[in-house]
């Protein structure tokens, strides 16, 4: 197949490129390189099955493809809060442009949504039928509500225009090619430990997250895109739950050094709990479950960051 990946030079997108090209597909990456990096995909430039186009998903585009993966959007708080209006436009107008193309081509289109659509959840773990507890006017709202609106658009195009959609909700994912400065907890802790700086834990450190290694997530993407039973939304992540303090201590143990754990004030609208219910993923993705244990994935991620952080 010919497959378009918007945001394909980013952390997740570049790993998806590797997998799809290894499977024999032709891949076109569309990316404006705001948070994506050419280094993530440079090893593919000489591959005849690969094409890179520098373009902003907000602006219309045309390609002849069989499938579209819409991954375009900054996904870490410092990056999506840097230009919040642009973040909302990327989610909403990017979705409209991908859906319009899919409608014209009769192509299947995939939306990378997020666990942030659940906000600071009052239900734990989070199931796909939970509508969420989201602040619509906070600093994180540009991302949370942008992704919620994108989901709305996908399902309206599906109902009104019979567009063949797949909507996935991604929970915390980590691995090589994360940006060292992306402000996410795994990269923050690893970079601070490698540099010998204090490891910053916000609040009391008892808030929880569930961490999925990137290879497991990409496997879920491809299985979801290529099954015909369910359009979504579908949670994709690792249900193993860890407190921020446990994660900090694990990173310290693996990196070594003399970093200390220090506590700072909790940011506004920071969710206290985040854990996916992956019952539907197991059902529709041929028994898919994450395979990479946290310590194994962290070791691989730490090895990558040692090449990035001086």
């Amino acid at each position: 197949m010919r497959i378009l990946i918007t945001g394909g030079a980013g952390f997740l997108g570049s790993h998806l490129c590797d997998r799809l090209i290894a499977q024999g597909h032709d891949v076109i990456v569309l990316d404006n390189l705001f948070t994506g990096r050419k280094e993530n995909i440079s090893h593919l430039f000489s591959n005849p099955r690969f094409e890179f186009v520098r373009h902003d998903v907000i602006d219309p585009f045309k390609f002849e493809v069989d499938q579209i993966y819409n991954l375009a959007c900054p996904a870490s708080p410092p990056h999506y809060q840097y230009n919040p209006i642009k973040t909302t436009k990327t989610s909403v107008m990017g979705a409209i442009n991908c859906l319009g193309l899919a409608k014209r081509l009769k192509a299947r289109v995939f939306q990378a949504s997020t666990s942030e659509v659940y906000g600071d959840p009052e239900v734990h773990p989070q199931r796909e039928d939970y509508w969420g507890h989201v602040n619509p006017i906070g600093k994180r709202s540009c991302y949370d509500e942008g992704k919620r609106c994108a989901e709305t658009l996908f399902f309206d195009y599906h109902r009104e225009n019979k567009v063949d959609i797949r909507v996935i909700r991604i929970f915390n994912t980590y691995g090589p090619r994360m940006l060292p400065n992306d402000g996410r907890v795994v990269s923050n802790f690893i970079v601070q430990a490698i540099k010998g700086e204090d490891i910053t834990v916000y609040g009391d450190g008892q808030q929880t997250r569930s961490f999925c290694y990137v290879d497991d997530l990409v496997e879920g993407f491809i299985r979801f895109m290529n099954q015909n039973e369910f359009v979504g939304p579908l949670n994709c992540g690792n249900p193993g739950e860890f407190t921020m303090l446990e994660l900090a201590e694990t990173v310290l143990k693996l990196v070594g050094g003399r970093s200390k754990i220090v506590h700072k004030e909790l940011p506004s609208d920071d969710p206290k709990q985040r854990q996916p219910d992956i019952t539907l993923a197991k059902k529709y993705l041929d028994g898919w479950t994450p395979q990479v244990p946290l310590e194994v994935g962290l070791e691989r991620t730490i090895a990558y960051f040692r090449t990035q952080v001086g």
Side-chain angles (χ1 to χ4, degrees):
M1 288 186 288
R2 278 172 61 80
I3 300 174
L4 173 66
I5 306 175
T6 69
F11 162 48
L12 296 180
S14 63
H15 285 277
L16 180 61
C17 288
D18 289 343
R19 282 292 302 277
L20 292 174
I21 285 175
Q23 291 179 353
H25 302 295
D26 291 341
V27 171
I28 303 168
V29 161
L30 191 78
D31 204 302
N32 68 353
L33 300 180
F34 174 58
T35 55
R37 298 197 299 178
K38 278 188 180 178
E39 295 95 310
N40 289 341
I41 51 173
S42 59
H43 60 287
L44 298 172
F45 285 171
S46 61
N47 191 310
R49 293 192 178 279
F50 180 79
E51 184 179 346
F52 170 66
V53 180
R54 186 164 184 170
H55 183 87
D56 197 314
V57 75
I58 287 173
D59 301 316
F61 48 87
K62 285 186 178 180
F63 296 96
E64 301 299 319
V65 294
D66 305 296
Q67 290 187 346
I68 303 162
Y69 284 84
N70 183 31
L71 273 59
C73 191
S76 69
H79 292 151
Y80 65 64
Q81 290 171 13
Y82 173 77
N83 188 340
I85 295 167
K86 173 84 170 182
T87 296
T88 303
K89 288 169 74 175
T90 299
S91 285
V92 175
M93 296 169 70
I96 289 169
N97 286 332
C98 286
L99 287 160
L101 181 62
K103 179 185 172 185
R104 179 175 72 82
L105 298 175
K106 295 183 168 50
R108 183 168 291 177
V109 59
F110 174 105
Q111 169 64 13
S113 191
T114 172
S115 60
E116 299 294 340
V117 300
Y118 299 121
D120 188 3
E122 296 169 311
V123 171
H124 191 75
Q126 291 80 57
R127 290 183 2 170
E128 290 86 349
D129 57 5
Y130 174 53
W131 290 355
H133 177 227
V134 177
N135 176 2
I137 58 169
K139 287 188 173 181
R140 301 171 69 107
S141 306
C142 59
Y143 185 68
D144 304 0
E145 297 288 29
K147 290 289 192 178
R148 284 163 69 96
C149 185
E151 288 196 14
T152 301
L153 286 161
F154 265 71
F155 278 90
D156 283 337
Y157 266 79
H158 178 62
R159 284 185 289 260
E160 297 293 314
N161 300 313
K162 306 296 185 282
V163 174
D164 189 9
I165 65 166
R166 298 291 181 273
V167 176
I168 205 161
R169 291 174 177 165
I170 302 167
F171 283 69
N172 290 60
T173 306
Y174 69 101
R177 301 182 196 158
M178 294 180 82
L179 290 170
N181 65 341
D182 72 1
R184 295 190 225 194
V185 65
V186 172
S187 49
N188 277 358
F189 286 178
I190 292 174
V191 170
Q192 287 170 339
I194 290 172
K195 289 184 171 180
E197 299 171 351
D198 291 341
I199 292 182
T200 307
V201 172
Y202 293 99
D204 60 7
Q206 294 308 304
Q207 65 271 39
T208 66
R209 296 292 185 273
S210 307
F211 300 101
C212 186
Y213 188 66
V214 62
D215 290 357
D216 287 330
L217 189 81
V218 168
E219 176 68 25
F221 280 8
I222 294 170
R223 289 194 194 190
F224 185 42
M225 192 61 154
N226 294 302
Q227 57 78 41
N228 298 312
E229 291 182 78
F230 187 57
V231 300
L234 184 89
N235 289 339
C236 203
N238 193 327
E241 192 178 15
F242 296 88
T243 68
M244 296 299 91
L245 214 48
E246 287 173 324
L247 178 69
E249 288 164 352
T250 304
V251 168
L252 258 181
K253 181 182 79 174
L254 295 174
V255 173
R258 299 183 178 179
S259 297
K260 299 192 302 292
I261 295 172
V262 297
H263 292 262
K264 292 194 176 179
E265 189 178 345
L266 198 65
S268 63
D269 300 328
D270 191 56
K272 295 173 204 63
Q273 292 180 306
R274 193 52 69 64
Q275 182 190 20
D277 181 316
I278 60 167
T279 304
L280 290 181
K282 289 178 182 176
K283 178 180 177 181
Y284 291 110
L285 306 188
D286 194 24
W288 173 90
T289 55
Q291 301 297 309
V292 180
L294 182 65
E295 286 205 13
V296 173
L298 285 175
E299 284 174 346
R300 295 176 190 170
T301 310
I302 289 164
Y304 169 77
F305 273 114
R306 288 193 191 279
T307 70
Q308 301 293 306
V309 179

